[in-house]
Amino acid sequence: MTSILSRRRLLLTGAGIGAVTGLGVSRAAAQAPQAPCRVAVSAGINTGTYRFHIGDIRATIISDGTIAGNIRIYARDAEQAELDAVLGAAHLSQSQFPLQLNAMLLEQGSRRILIDPGANLAMGPNGGRLISRLADLGLAPGDIEAIVITHTHPDHVGNLRNQDGTAAFPKAGVYVPEPDWQFFYINEPDLSHLPMPRDFQERFIRNIKISLEAVAGNVIRYQPGREVLPGIMTVPAHGHTPGMSALLIASGGDQLMVTADLAYHPLLNIDQGWMPGVDIDGEAARQTRNRLFDRAAADNLLLFGFHFPFPGLGRLYRTGSGYRWLPQAWDFTG
Ligand SMILES: [Zn+2]
């Protein structure tokens, strides 16, 4: 336990990762020295874990923390008057719109798998809770045998790397979509479409590269559309990134769809249908979203959103003009 806590302290105080920031982080916050995390990680309340089952699989949503950013990052094509009306009625900020970082742990027998482990400090000072939360569950990083990445944006891969550049989960094979590996890691990506300054884009890219570099020897690249592990099917979801993949997790007749970043927030990208500003191919992303949302509505699939209000579970249904989100009721049985 001591070693885990010591290691965690290293992660939380690391200035190396902090030099690279992601979506929605102010320049001042990005350039501030990394202070020790002030979160009472063992307080025992509001710790950010939620347990449920998918057939025989024990699933736990684990909050790595939160991020916040300008609303145009998350709702590119919204009319300003509509934004004012919708967010004003909901008393939500347009300059610091809040999103979650929901990682997922899957346990089946002795097999332990993480889905999109989260940002660590790559996206600002309010991430970086994952490893402490795993410790609360009695797990060390070495207990994780596989990690499935839906896409390689820094808020999803930042936790792959320790502050010293080593792999945070040393025994885990890391499944990465091949098109993202090529686009972000092998090549120099053009992210000039992003609604952020050039220096932000450079930090965004660098953070992806150093996170993937840390695990390069353990990466298993996959083409979206194939089963990467028993019961975990990847579903092509191109548009947000070149290789983004949704996931269908199935066991014993139950199914869960991991929606990755098809939508940032149900209010913005499901109920309103606004387009995320970070989609690299907006039209492809729109078609992907409609295809998978139609399937989810028709099959009444349980959905999980990485950035949705915690724990990110719910269903959607069709309306006359689009879709509407229904959060799943809290279940205390786990
Ligand atoms: Zn994301």
Side-chain angles (χ1 to χ4, degrees):
M1 179 63 76
T2 301
S3 63
I4 293 170
L5 291 173
S6 300
R7 181 163 136 124
R8 188 74 205 124
R9 193 166 298 115
L10 278 175
L11 281 171
L12 291 169
T13 55
I17 294 178
V20 181
T21 63
L23 297 180
V25 182
S26 71
R27 184 173 301 187
Q31 293 178 346
Q34 292 296 325
C37 182
R38 297 187 186 122
V39 176
V41 293
S42 298
I45 55 171
N46 294 344
T47 55
T49 56
Y50 183 83
R51 183 160 280 170
F52 65 108
H53 283 79
I54 310 162
D56 295 334
I57 300 172
R58 186 167 73 171
T60 308
I61 313 295
I62 304 174
S63 176
D64 187 49
T66 60
I67 57 174
N70 186 283
I71 191 64
R72 288 297 174 185
I73 300 171
Y74 312 132
R76 172 172 62 183
D77 59 340
E79 297 285 343
Q80 188 60 49
E82 290 184 38
L83 265 181
D84 293 343
V86 171
L87 272 67
H91 303 283
L92 287 166
S93 168
Q94 294 193 30
S95 62
Q96 289 291 301
F97 188 88
L99 294 182
Q100 304 295 310
L101 300 166
N102 299 323
M104 181 185 286
L105 170 69
L106 303 175
E107 298 176 275
Q108 191 172 32
S110 61
R111 189 173 68 139
R112 296 190 179 91
I113 299 164
L114 281 174
I115 309 294
D116 280 353
N120 202 340
L121 298 177
M123 307 294 282
N126 295 321
R129 290 161 167 79
L130 175 70
I131 291 176
S132 293
R133 296 282 79 80
L134 286 170
D136 290 346
L137 299 172
L139 297 175
D143 294 327
I144 305 300
E145 75 172 55
I147 299 171
V148 181
I149 301 295
T150 63
H151 66 296
T152 63
H153 276 170
D155 49 324
H156 297 251
V157 300
N159 262 323
L160 293 176
R161 177 185 187 273
N162 288 323
Q163 190 269 336
D164 64 1
T166 57
F169 300 92
K171 297 179 182 173
V174 182
Y175 293 80
V176 174
E178 173 74 27
D180 274 20
W181 178 263
Q182 293 295 332
F183 183 79
F184 289 108
Y185 185 67
I186 301 298
N187 297 311
E188 289 303 319
D190 176 7
L191 298 184
S192 56
H193 69 289
L194 292 181
M196 303 92 159
R198 181 68 201 164
D199 60 338
F200 178 96
Q201 295 170 17
E202 290 170 355
R203 291 195 299 272
F204 190 90
I205 293 166
R206 172 167 157 70
N207 191 31
I208 294 171
K209 287 186 181 293
I210 63 174
S211 298
L212 294 179
E213 178 67 28
V215 297
N218 295 331
V219 161
I220 303 116
R221 283 131 57 190
Y222 69 86
Q223 285 293 346
R226 80 172 179 88
E227 189 177 51
V228 289
L229 290 161
I232 303 181
M233 179 68 71
T234 64
V235 181
H238 161 76
H240 185 65
T241 68
M244 191 171 84
S245 177
L247 305 174
L248 274 176
I249 300 169
S251 174
D254 288 351
Q255 247 188 345
L256 173 79
M257 178 183 279
V258 175
T259 60
D261 281 10
L262 285 176
Y264 277 125
H265 192 289
L267 178 68
L268 306 179
N269 315 116
I270 296 177
D271 294 357
Q272 296 297 327
W274 292 325
M275 294 174 65
V278 185
D279 293 348
I280 197 163
D281 183 337
E283 187 49 38
R286 187 200 304 276
Q287 291 177 15
T288 293
R289 212 157 19 246
N290 291 342
R291 172 170 51 86
L292 293 181
F293 284 0
D294 282 348
R295 177 176 177 180
D299 295 347
N300 193 29
L301 280 174
L302 180 61
L303 305 180
F304 167 64
F306 181 82
H307 291 298
F308 291 5
F310 185 85
L313 297 168
R315 289 178 163 80
L316 58 74
Y317 62 90
R318 286 216 60 122
T319 65
S321 57
Y323 311 95
R324 190 159 302 277
W325 175 253
L326 275 178
Q328 189 181 50
W330 195 272
D331 183 346
F332 286 96
T333 64

PDB file of all heavy atoms in Angstrom, residues 17-32:
ATOM      1  N   ILE A  17       4.064  15.829 -16.900  1.00  0.00           N
ATOM      2  CA  ILE A  17       2.803  15.694 -17.612  1.00  0.00           C
ATOM      3  C   ILE A  17       2.046  17.014 -17.577  1.00  0.00           C
ATOM      4  O   ILE A  17       1.407  17.404 -18.528  1.00  0.00           O
ATOM      5  CB  ILE A  17       1.955  14.581 -16.971  1.00  0.00           C
ATOM      6  CG1 ILE A  17       2.655  13.245 -17.188  1.00  0.00           C
ATOM      7  CG2 ILE A  17       0.570  14.538 -17.580  1.00  0.00           C
ATOM      8  CD1 ILE A  17       1.951  12.085 -16.569  1.00  0.00           C
ATOM      9  N   GLY A  18       2.168  17.725 -16.463  1.00  0.00           N
ATOM     10  CA  GLY A  18       1.438  18.970 -16.330  1.00  0.00           C
ATOM     11  C   GLY A  18       1.820  19.995 -17.381  1.00  0.00           C
ATOM     12  O   GLY A  18       1.067  20.918 -17.653  1.00  0.00           O
ATOM     13  N   ALA A  19       2.993  19.834 -17.969  1.00  0.00           N
ATOM     14  CA  ALA A  19       3.404  20.786 -18.992  1.00  0.00           C
ATOM     15  C   ALA A  19       2.589  20.621 -20.260  1.00  0.00           C
ATOM     16  O   ALA A  19       2.600  21.470 -21.129  1.00  0.00           O
ATOM     17  CB  ALA A  19       4.880  20.596 -19.310  1.00  0.00           C
ATOM     18  N   VAL A  20       1.876  19.532 -20.360  1.00  0.00           N
ATOM     19  CA  VAL A  20       1.098  19.244 -21.553  1.00  0.00           C
ATOM     20  C   VAL A  20      -0.358  19.238 -21.158  1.00  0.00           C
ATOM     21  O   VAL A  20      -0.761  18.512 -20.276  1.00  0.00           O
ATOM     22  CB  VAL A  20       1.473  17.871 -22.129  1.00  0.00           C
ATOM     23  CG1 VAL A  20       0.670  17.597 -23.380  1.00  0.00           C
ATOM     24  CG2 VAL A  20       2.957  17.809 -22.403  1.00  0.00           C
ATOM     25  N   THR A  21      -1.133  20.051 -21.784  1.00  0.00           N
ATOM     26  CA  THR A  21      -2.529  20.162 -21.359  1.00  0.00           C
ATOM     27  C   THR A  21      -3.459  19.830 -22.496  1.00  0.00           C
ATOM     28  O   THR A  21      -3.075  19.727 -23.639  1.00  0.00           O
ATOM     29  CB  THR A  21      -2.838  21.566 -20.857  1.00  0.00           C
ATOM     30  OG1 THR A  21      -2.663  22.465 -21.938  1.00  0.00           O
ATOM     31  CG2 THR A  21      -1.943  21.943 -19.706  1.00  0.00           C
ATOM     32  N   GLY A  22      -4.719  19.693 -22.154  1.00  0.00           N
ATOM     33  CA  GLY A  22      -5.684  19.312 -23.158  1.00  0.00           C
ATOM     34  C   GLY A  22      -6.836  20.278 -23.210  1.00  0.00           C
ATOM     35  O   GLY A  22      -6.704  21.450 -22.924  1.00  0.00           O
ATOM     36  N   LEU A  23      -7.993  19.776 -23.567  1.00  0.00           N
ATOM     37  CA  LEU A  23      -9.160  20.595 -23.829  1.00  0.00           C
ATOM     38  C   LEU A  23      -9.548  21.446 -22.633  1.00  0.00           C
ATOM     39  O   LEU A  23      -9.610  20.987 -21.512  1.00  0.00           O
ATOM     40  CB  LEU A  23     -10.354  19.690 -24.154  1.00  0.00           C
ATOM     41  CG  LEU A  23     -10.218  18.848 -25.406  1.00  0.00           C
ATOM     42  CD1 LEU A  23     -11.469  18.023 -25.580  1.00  0.00           C
ATOM     43  CD2 LEU A  23     -10.003  19.736 -26.587  1.00  0.00           C
ATOM     44  N   GLY A  24      -9.830  22.688 -22.912  1.00  0.00           N
ATOM     45  CA  GLY A  24     -10.539  23.490 -21.943  1.00  0.00           C
ATOM     46  C   GLY A  24      -9.719  23.948 -20.758  1.00  0.00           C
ATOM     47  O   GLY A  24     -10.285  24.424 -19.789  1.00  0.00           O
ATOM     48  N   VAL A  25      -8.440  23.831 -20.802  1.00  0.00           N
ATOM     49  CA  VAL A  25      -7.629  24.255 -19.677  1.00  0.00           C
ATOM     50  C   VAL A  25      -7.066  25.631 -19.987  1.00  0.00           C
ATOM     51  O   VAL A  25      -6.488  25.851 -21.046  1.00  0.00           O
ATOM     52  CB  VAL A  25      -6.478  23.271 -19.438  1.00  0.00           C
ATOM     53  CG1 VAL A  25      -5.660  23.709 -18.233  1.00  0.00           C
ATOM     54  CG2 VAL A  25      -7.031  21.877 -19.227  1.00  0.00           C
ATOM     55  N   SER A  26      -7.247  26.565 -19.072  1.00  0.00           N
ATOM     56  CA  SER A  26      -6.753  27.904 -19.321  1.00  0.00           C
ATOM     57  C   SER A  26      -5.239  27.887 -19.392  1.00  0.00           C
ATOM     58  O   SER A  26      -4.584  27.010 -18.830  1.00  0.00           O
ATOM     59  CB  SER A  26      -7.198  28.839 -18.206  1.00  0.00           C
ATOM     60  OG  SER A  26      -6.498  28.531 -17.023  1.00  0.00           O
ATOM     61  N   ARG A  27      -4.667  28.877 -20.075  1.00  0.00           N
ATOM     62  CA  ARG A  27      -3.222  28.932 -20.179  1.00  0.00           C
ATOM     63  C   ARG A  27      -2.592  29.082 -18.804  1.00  0.00           C
ATOM     64  O   ARG A  27      -1.578  28.498 -18.499  1.00  0.00           O
ATOM     65  CB  ARG A  27      -2.819  30.090 -21.084  1.00  0.00           C
ATOM     66  CG  ARG A  27      -1.322  30.149 -21.305  1.00  0.00           C
ATOM     67  CD  ARG A  27      -0.953  31.186 -22.323  1.00  0.00           C
ATOM     68  NE  ARG A  27      -1.595  30.929 -23.596  1.00  0.00           N
ATOM     69  CZ  ARG A  27      -1.327  31.630 -24.686  1.00  0.00           C
ATOM     70  NH1 ARG A  27      -0.452  32.596 -24.646  1.00  0.00           N
ATOM     71  NH2 ARG A  27      -1.949  31.356 -25.810  1.00  0.00           N
ATOM     72  N   ALA A  28      -3.219  29.894 -17.949  1.00  0.00           N
ATOM     73  CA  ALA A  28      -2.676  30.084 -16.606  1.00  0.00           C
ATOM     74  C   ALA A  28      -2.624  28.762 -15.854  1.00  0.00           C
ATOM     75  O   ALA A  28      -1.613  28.418 -15.229  1.00  0.00           O
ATOM     76  CB  ALA A  28      -3.515  31.092 -15.840  1.00  0.00           C
ATOM     77  N   ALA A  29      -3.713  28.004 -15.958  1.00  0.00           N
ATOM     78  CA  ALA A  29      -3.733  26.715 -15.266  1.00  0.00           C
ATOM     79  C   ALA A  29      -2.697  25.780 -15.861  1.00  0.00           C
ATOM     80  O   ALA A  29      -2.008  25.047 -15.158  1.00  0.00           O
ATOM     81  CB  ALA A  29      -5.122  26.100 -15.360  1.00  0.00           C
ATOM     82  N   ALA A  30      -2.565  25.855 -17.191  1.00  0.00           N
ATOM     83  CA  ALA A  30      -1.634  24.950 -17.863  1.00  0.00           C
ATOM     84  C   ALA A  30      -0.198  25.253 -17.466  1.00  0.00           C
ATOM     85  O   ALA A  30       0.625  24.360 -17.374  1.00  0.00           O
ATOM     86  CB  ALA A  30      -1.803  25.080 -19.370  1.00  0.00           C
ATOM     87  N   GLN A  31       0.105  26.535 -17.219  1.00  0.00           N
ATOM     88  CA  GLN A  31       1.483  26.902 -16.958  1.00  0.00           C
ATOM     89  C   GLN A  31       1.808  26.944 -15.475  1.00  0.00           C
ATOM     90  O   GLN A  31       2.959  27.108 -15.093  1.00  0.00           O
ATOM     91  CB  GLN A  31       1.770  28.261 -17.595  1.00  0.00           C
ATOM     92  CG  GLN A  31       1.727  28.185 -19.138  1.00  0.00           C
ATOM     93  CD  GLN A  31       1.951  29.526 -19.790  1.00  0.00           C
ATOM     94  OE1 GLN A  31       1.884  30.551 -19.146  1.00  0.00           O
ATOM     95  NE2 GLN A  31       2.214  29.496 -21.089  1.00  0.00           N
ATOM     96  N   ALA A  32       0.795  26.806 -14.627  1.00  0.00           N
ATOM     97  CA  ALA A  32       1.040  26.849 -13.194  1.00  0.00           C
ATOM     98  C   ALA A  32       1.841  25.636 -12.775  1.00  0.00           C
ATOM     99  O   ALA A  32       1.668  24.547 -13.319  1.00  0.00           O
ATOM    100  CB  ALA A  32      -0.282  26.872 -12.441  1.00  0.00           C
TER     101      ALA A  32
END
